[in-house]
């Protein structure tokens, strides 16, 4: 008796997804030709590709550079982190009492000069006097910050923000009434606006809206009672100066000029702070010893 199965070809097994072996798939990756199931299909210009090929292509793709030659910061992580810090600080102020927190951590010249509480020049920039105060500052930070962060990169953007915040606090410390208590991120916010004007002109961006926003808020700062316009001026000047240090130097000497420029600007702020501190100490000494006053 002849073998009934003789000459019959055994069918090849159905192809399965190379990542999910229990799923039959007749679709292949256009790059590596491996079978992929619907969960692994990533639409490409022609057909579908597997996740491995897509991720490999992304990793090998050249990084997008900003006009400054730095990698483009696709996600404004520093801006979001700064907003989070300001919001958390404000919530803590609500717990302890806004006035109490402002007195303890805000820019208060006698505490800085007499008690050596220099940290107030930094902490004051992360405190706010009310809901409207923080809402406006955080809105402007959210609106303007990402554009600058993408152009400057995370590190330079953070330096810009902190320097503008410090510049605003130092200007308030140097030129306000000695009994002034000042809080707010307005110095840093005005610094961002000043930086956008400088960087925008250099990179030939349309800065009309920024100029309008800056002009309106600058006028409001002078007209509205209780607003520390000195912090606005200080933040604006320092922010514009830092932006100029970052974007104006030619590429071949950009990094050393940036480092030296920021250190020089920081040293200038320290000198202004030291001069004002001595003025306050002399004032207290004169009041305590009237016979020695001129």
């Amino acid at each position: 008796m002849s073998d009934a199965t003789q000459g019959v070809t055994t069918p090849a097994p159905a192809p399965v997804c190379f990542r999910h072996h229990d799923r039959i798939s007749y679709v292949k990756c256009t790059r590596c030709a491996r079978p992929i199931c619907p969960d692994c299909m990533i639409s490409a210009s022609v057909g579908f590709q597997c996740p491995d090929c897509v991720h490999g292509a992304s990793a090998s793709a050249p990084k997008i550079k900003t006009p400054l030659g730095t990698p483009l910061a696709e996600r404004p992580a520093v801006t979001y982190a700064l907003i989070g810090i300001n919001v958390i600080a404000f919530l803590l102020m609500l717990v302890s009492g806004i006035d109490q927190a402002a007195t303890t951590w805000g820019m208060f010249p006698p505490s800085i000069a007499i008690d050596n509480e220099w940290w107030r020049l930094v902490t004051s920039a992360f405190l706010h006097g009310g809901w409207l105060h923080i809402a406006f500052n955080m809105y402007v930070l959210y609106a303007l910050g990402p554009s600058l962060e993408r152009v400057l990169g995370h590190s330079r953007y953070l330096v810009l923000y902190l320097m503008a915040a410090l510049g605003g606090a130092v200007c308030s410390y140097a030129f306000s009434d000695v009994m002034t208590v000042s809080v707010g991120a307005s110095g840093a916010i005005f610094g961002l606006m000043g930086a956008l004007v400088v960087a925008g002109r250099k990179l030939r961006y349309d800065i009309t809206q920024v100029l309008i926003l800056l002009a309106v808020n600058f006028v409001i700062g002078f007209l509205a009672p209780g607003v520390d316009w000195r912090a606005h001026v200080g933040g604006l000047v320092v922010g514009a100066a830092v932006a100029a240090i970052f974007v104006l130097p030619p590429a071949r000497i950009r990094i050393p000029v940036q480092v030296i420029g920021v250190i020089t600007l920081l040293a200038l702020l320290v000198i202004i702070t030291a001069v004002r501190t001595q003025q306050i100490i002399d004032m207290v000494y004169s009041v305590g010893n009237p016979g020695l006053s001129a």
Side-chain angles (χ1 to χ4, degrees):
M1 184 174 67
S2 62
D3 190 349
T5 61
Q6 190 174 14
V8 177
T9 303
T10 303
V16 296
C17 175
F18 81 99
R19 300 180 74 203
H20 304 95
H21 302 296
D22 58 336
R23 302 179 187 178
I24 297 176
S25 175
Y26 290 94
V27 178
K28 295 183 179 181
C29 172
T30 56
R31 291 175 66 91
C32 66
R34 291 181 293 184
I36 48 178
C37 67
D39 289 342
C40 297
M41 296 178 187
I42 300 178
S43 180
S45 57
V46 179
F48 297 94
Q49 295 181 9
C50 67
D52 289 357
C53 291
V54 171
H55 294 159
S58 299
S60 61
K63 299 295 184 181
I64 301 176
K65 300 271 188 176
T66 70
L68 300 180
T70 58
L72 180 67
E74 297 181 0
R75 186 171 183 271
V78 175
T79 296
Y80 296 154
L82 290 171
I83 292 175
I85 293 172
N86 278 278
V87 170
I88 291 173
F90 182 69
L91 294 177
L92 293 175
M93 290 182 72
L94 294 179
V95 173
S96 63
I98 291 180
D99 292 341
Q100 177 63 34
T103 302
T104 304
W105 301 92
M107 197 292 300
F108 185 50
S111 295
I112 296 173
I114 307 302
D115 300 329
N116 294 320
E117 296 179 352
W118 307 102
W119 40 264
R120 287 175 177 266
L121 294 172
V122 177
T123 57
S124 61
F126 292 91
L127 307 178
H128 291 84
W131 287 101
L132 184 61
H133 192 195
I134 187 172
F136 175 78
N137 281 342
M138 294 305 99
Y139 169 76
V140 178
L141 176 56
Y142 177 79
L144 302 183
S147 299
L148 269 173
E149 186 172 355
R150 290 189 179 96
V151 171
L152 297 179
H154 301 306
S155 300
R156 288 177 178 82
Y157 172 73
L158 180 59
V159 170
L160 166 67
Y161 185 92
L162 294 178
M163 286 292 293
L166 181 61
V170 168
C171 188
S172 179
Y173 175 61
F175 301 106
S176 295
D177 183 88
V178 72
M179 298 305 293
T180 298
V181 177
S182 178
V183 296
S186 301
I189 299 302
F190 270 79
L192 296 186
M193 288 190 279
L196 273 173
V197 172
V198 173
R201 287 183 61 85
K202 170 64 176 179
L203 303 176
R204 298 181 180 179
Y205 293 163
D206 183 4
I207 58 174
T208 303
Q209 293 183 345
V210 179
L211 289 173
I212 294 175
L213 180 65
L214 177 59
V216 170
N217 285 279
F218 205 70
V219 172
I220 292 176
F222 281 100
L223 298 180
V227 176
D228 188 358
W229 58 266
R230 298 165 189 83
H232 296 178
V233 173
L236 175 65
V237 171
V238 172
V242 173
I245 293 170
F246 284 163
V247 305
L248 296 184
R252 66 181 183 279
I253 59 171
R254 182 170 291 151
I255 292 180
V257 169
Q258 289 174 351
V259 173
I260 295 173
V262 171
I263 292 176
T264 302
L265 187 58
L266 181 60
L268 179 60
L269 294 177
V270 171
I271 292 173
I272 294 173
T273 302
V275 171
R276 177 57 169 168
T277 297
Q278 191 59 50
Q279 289 177 348
I280 296 175
I281 292 175
D282 292 343
M283 185 186 307
V284 173
Y285 184 72
S286 298
V287 171
N289 301 272
L292 299 177
S293 59

